[in-house]
Amino acid sequence: MSTELRIFKGTKQVGTMKQFCAKLLLLALWPASSLSAQPPFSDGSTAAGIGHPGRNYGVAFGDFDGDGGEDIYISRHNAPNLLYRAVGQGRFEEVAQAAGVAHAGTTTVSTFADIDNDGDLDLYLGNRDEDNILYRNNGDGTFTDISAVAGVNSGFRTRAVLFGDVDRDGWVDLYVANMNAPNFLYHNNADGTFTNIVEQANAQDYGVAMGSLFFDYDNDGDLDLYLTHDANQPNILYRNDGSGHFENTSAYSGANIAAQGMGVDFADVNNDGYFDLYITNLYSNELLLNDGDGTFSLATAQAGVGDLGMGWGTVFLDYDNDGWTDLYAVNDYYFAPFYNVLYRNTGGGTFEAVGAGSPVESPLAGYGVAAGDVNADGFPDLVLANAGSNDGNQLLLNMAQGNNHFVKVQLEGTLSNRSAIGARVVVEAGGHRQMDEVCAGSGYASQNSFALHFGLGAAAVIDRLEIFWPSGEVEAYEGLAADQSYRFTETSGFVTAAPEEDTARLEGAVFPNPVSGTLQLRCRSHQAGRGQLSLLDIRGQVVWEKEVGVQAGWNSWPIDMRALSPGLYYLQGSGALAGQAFPVVRQ
């Protein structure tokens, strides 16, 4: 199928080209009704190499070495922090010591951003008992501590770290939220130093700070600020007037809920063109729907998302790529016996809790969580930081199969800040319109991938994709192919990422499915060698495994399912079959 691709700046068309929409269809069929009833996540922590136990608090995604992989930084207490470098196929190596970022103190939160616009991601640590740290990326896989010279080595109990260009001068600024101490807004002086302007900007807060956000709630093109609080202190919403000066609109907007707030994330849950808020608490979490007139309405009960646990991290993600953003909320199970919960967006203003009995429940001391596509297969995965002394970090791999399409968008600013933080992307496909915004710091002590991920449902072509850059530039593209990762550079257009053939969605099939006897696996490997096939139950436990010889190209193996109980299983590979994964129903 061919489609006309049109490229616009503002409203002016600046070019046309022919591009073919081509994507190999998955041969392993997975009905949507079953997918909604049982979310297809598998615990891949051990195989990925990220399961280090300890008091893990926060998760930050950021490609620190610029190789295209989703690297991960883990903030920890009383043990060296961890930097997981992606090495391909959803695997990682821990390199914090070699990179110079293995701080061993009480780091609660960390966030990546390109503070000097040199093309690589720098890293800021918010600590509890020692001064905060700013690491400058040297561009060679190592970092240098520039905290004192930069003037950002404040020493309070930091709970949130946010990067965002509040005055849209092309340089990211830094907001630091502290517990029972003044917050800081550090203006980037564009020379490697920062100046605290929190008083001049009218963005003060002296409360029990927790999760915080920069996001544009009123669609005026600048970053507003939302601060959550513990101890029944009202949350604060600051509206940016466009110059980096803020007005407190908490009471008028109705966003000043008072609870035991912990984490917060934003998304357009009803696809009405305005960002909504979800706040985790001790007791009922809350969903605030943006009314589009500067106010918010409490919609928790109607939406069915009032989880009652000891809430910490939270993240919006479209796990099934149906075009409606879903929601994941993390609980400290040891404090109160409530599991983590995954809410599937039904598209009708309500959510349904899914995943009972699956790895997403994770009965551990959950704190931070972030989303990113770690194996580049087009389905967002979850990384959890668990704070129990014997709890390990968790990688929940999204094993979804089906015919829903997606697009991933990565942005690089030129007139805007290089990280493109604050840039908004609007995607129209199949009569469906949705949006997202690049954010550095969200949930609780965490940061999602810089790549924006959109599920497209049945739409194989993107009718229109618009980018609203922080500089004010607007670019639009029409007729883009789905199931691609696009990298857009401000004022320069886009490139399509090369196919990543070592990822989980290679050509393959399992049949018959459902199965009562012998299952046939047929899949293609891009390397010869030895491989391991494993069947996992819905809790991630291996119930069958076999070592096989693998040829480059197509391979086929029978798997006897008769000894297994009826239910849902995941067939996955390692070694020369790394990345292969299929859900299988034993009937």
Side-chain angles (χ1 to χ4, degrees):
M1 178 178 65
S2 64
T3 183
E4 183 76 14
L5 171 63
R6 291 183 287 169
I7 305 171
F8 300 81
K9 285 191 68 176
T11 57
K12 181 181 178 182
Q13 183 174 328
V14 297
T16 64
M17 63 179 287
K18 289 286 184 182
Q19 187 175 55
F20 288 96
C21 290
K23 181 72 177 179
L24 291 169
L25 295 178
L26 295 171
L27 302 177
L29 300 178
W30 187 243
S33 59
S34 297
L35 205 153
S36 67
Q38 182 61 60
F41 283 87
S42 175
D43 191 329
S45 315
T46 302
I50 72 163
H52 293 79
R55 301 190 64 194
N56 307 299
Y57 277 78
V59 179
F61 275 100
D63 179 11
F64 80 93
D65 55 1
D67 66 354
E70 292 280 13
D71 307 313
I72 301 168
Y73 193 79
I74 302 291
S75 306
R76 308 216 291 174
H77 284 197
N78 304 325
N81 296 339
L82 303 166
L83 177 58
Y84 296 123
R85 177 181 174 272
V87 295
Q89 299 178 345
R91 270 62 173 177
F92 298 85
E93 61 176 349
E94 205 287 300
V95 297
Q97 190 69 41
V101 293
H103 176 66
T106 55
T107 303
T108 298
V109 54
S110 55
T111 308
F112 286 102
D114 188 352
I115 64 161
D116 46 10
N117 287 341
D118 66 350
D120 48 43
L121 292 176
D122 310 296
L123 177 65
Y124 189 80
L125 309 186
N127 300 321
R128 187 190 69 184
D129 299 336
E130 59 275 359
D131 290 351
N132 293 346
I133 300 173
L134 175 61
Y135 290 110
R136 182 184 181 275
N137 194 326
N138 299 321
D140 60 0
T142 67
F143 293 78
T144 298
D145 183 345
I146 62 167
S147 314
V149 173
V152 293
N153 57 333
S154 54
F156 296 116
R157 300 178 68 185
T158 299
R159 289 298 182 120
V161 170
L162 314 176
F163 281 106
D165 184 2
V166 299
D167 55 0
R168 296 191 296 177
D169 65 352
W171 299 84
V172 288
D173 309 302
L174 169 64
Y175 193 87
V176 178
N178 300 306
M179 176 180 283
N180 289 323
N183 290 357
F184 297 95
L185 175 56
Y186 292 110
H187 180 262
N188 192 329
N189 300 322
D191 61 1
T193 69
F194 292 76
T195 301
N196 180 26
I197 61 166
V198 71
E199 297 291 336
Q200 302 94 301
N202 191 42
Q204 308 94 326
D205 183 19
Y206 304 94
V208 185
M210 288 292 183
S212 304
L213 285 174
F214 276 132
F215 78 120
D216 183 5
Y217 83 91
D218 52 1
N219 290 356
D220 65 352
D222 53 46
L223 289 176
D224 309 302
L225 176 63
Y226 191 66
L227 307 172
T228 72
H229 294 121
D230 200 352
N232 283 310
Q233 297 177 357
N235 296 345
I236 297 175
L237 178 62
Y238 280 118
R239 180 184 177 274
N240 192 336
D241 69 2
S243 69
H245 187 269
F246 294 85
E247 172 192 4
N248 190 329
T249 60
S250 310
Y252 168 76
S253 67
N256 61 336
I257 61 174
Q260 289 79 40
M262 298 296 170
V264 60
D265 200 9
F266 70 92
D268 185 4
V269 302
N270 49 10
N271 288 340
D272 67 350
Y274 289 89
F275 287 128
D276 312 298
L277 289 167
Y278 188 75
I279 302 106
T280 59
N281 297 293
L282 170 58
Y283 196 57
S284 179
N285 297 345
E286 302 291 4
L287 175 65
L288 292 175
L289 288 182
N290 192 326
D291 298 322
D293 59 2
T295 67
F296 290 81
S297 295
L298 196 62
T300 311
Q302 305 95 299
V305 291
D307 177 60
L308 301 177
M310 175 65 259
W312 288 95
T314 188
V315 61
F316 283 106
L317 74 162
D318 186 0
Y319 81 87
D320 52 4
N321 281 345
D322 67 350
W324 296 93
T325 187
D326 310 303
L327 173 63
Y328 188 61
V330 171
N331 290 311
D332 182 349
Y333 185 84
Y334 303 149
F335 185 95
F338 287 83
Y339 295 116
N340 298 352
V341 59
L342 179 64
Y343 291 107
R344 179 180 175 270
N345 191 334
T346 67
T350 62
F351 291 75
E352 60 176 349
V354 295
S358 78
V360 298
E361 289 191 322
S362 183
L364 301 172
Y367 275 67
V369 64
D373 186 1
V374 302
N375 51 9
D377 65 352
F379 290 87
D381 309 298
L382 292 165
V383 176
L384 280 71
N386 297 308
S389 58
N390 295 316
D391 294 347
N393 300 308
Q394 286 178 286
L395 169 60
L396 299 182
L397 282 172
N398 190 339
M399 300 295 190
Q401 301 277 326
N403 295 321
N404 285 345
H405 298 281
F406 72 93
V407 66
K408 291 194 294 184
V409 177
Q410 295 179 291
L411 303 176
E412 180 179 346
T414 53
L415 303 174
S416 304
N417 69 87
R418 191 77 173 262
S419 307
I421 296 165
R424 177 177 295 195
V425 174
V426 178
V427 171
E428 297 180 27
H432 205 53
R433 181 181 172 92
Q434 49 186 314
M435 67 180 189
D436 202 357
E437 196 168 270
V438 180
C439 177
S442 62
Y444 177 78
S446 295
Q447 177 180 18
N448 297 318
S449 169
F450 279 96
L452 301 181
H453 185 111
F454 297 90
L456 303 176
V461 175
I462 299 163
D463 300 318
R464 185 176 178 88
L465 186 149
E466 293 178 288
I467 305 171
F468 298 84
W469 298 93
S471 65
E473 284 283 308
V474 180
E475 298 171 2
Y477 303 83
E478 294 185 349
L480 293 173
D483 301 325
Q484 301 285 340
S485 179
Y486 293 98
R487 180 178 292 274
F488 297 86
T489 300
E490 188 176 11
T491 73
S492 300
F494 72 95
V495 296
T496 306
E500 303 195 36
E501 295 185 333
D502 63 344
T503 60
R505 271 60 189 179
L506 303 180
E507 297 160 282
V510 287
F511 54 91
N513 193 11
V515 61
S516 57
T518 299
L519 179 75
Q520 293 290 333
L521 166 65
R522 184 172 186 264
C523 65
R524 189 173 70 172
S525 175
H526 292 273
Q527 58 179 321
R530 304 297 297 176
Q532 183 89 6
L533 290 172
S534 302
L535 274 172
L536 287 71
D537 63 19
I538 61 172
R539 302 198 70 86
Q541 301 299 312
V542 176
V543 296
W544 175 90
E545 59 186 358
K546 180 180 181 180
E547 185 176 353
V548 295
V550 181
Q551 297 178 347
W554 288 99
N555 296 263
S556 182
W557 296 279
I559 300 170
D560 190 346
M561 300 284 290
R562 289 175 294 179
L564 299 177
S565 300
L568 174 64
Y569 297 87
Y570 300 104
L571 176 63
Q572 66 181 34
S574 59
L577 294 172
Q580 289 287 348
F582 301 99
V584 177
V585 175
R586 167 67 167 92
Q587 64 181 6

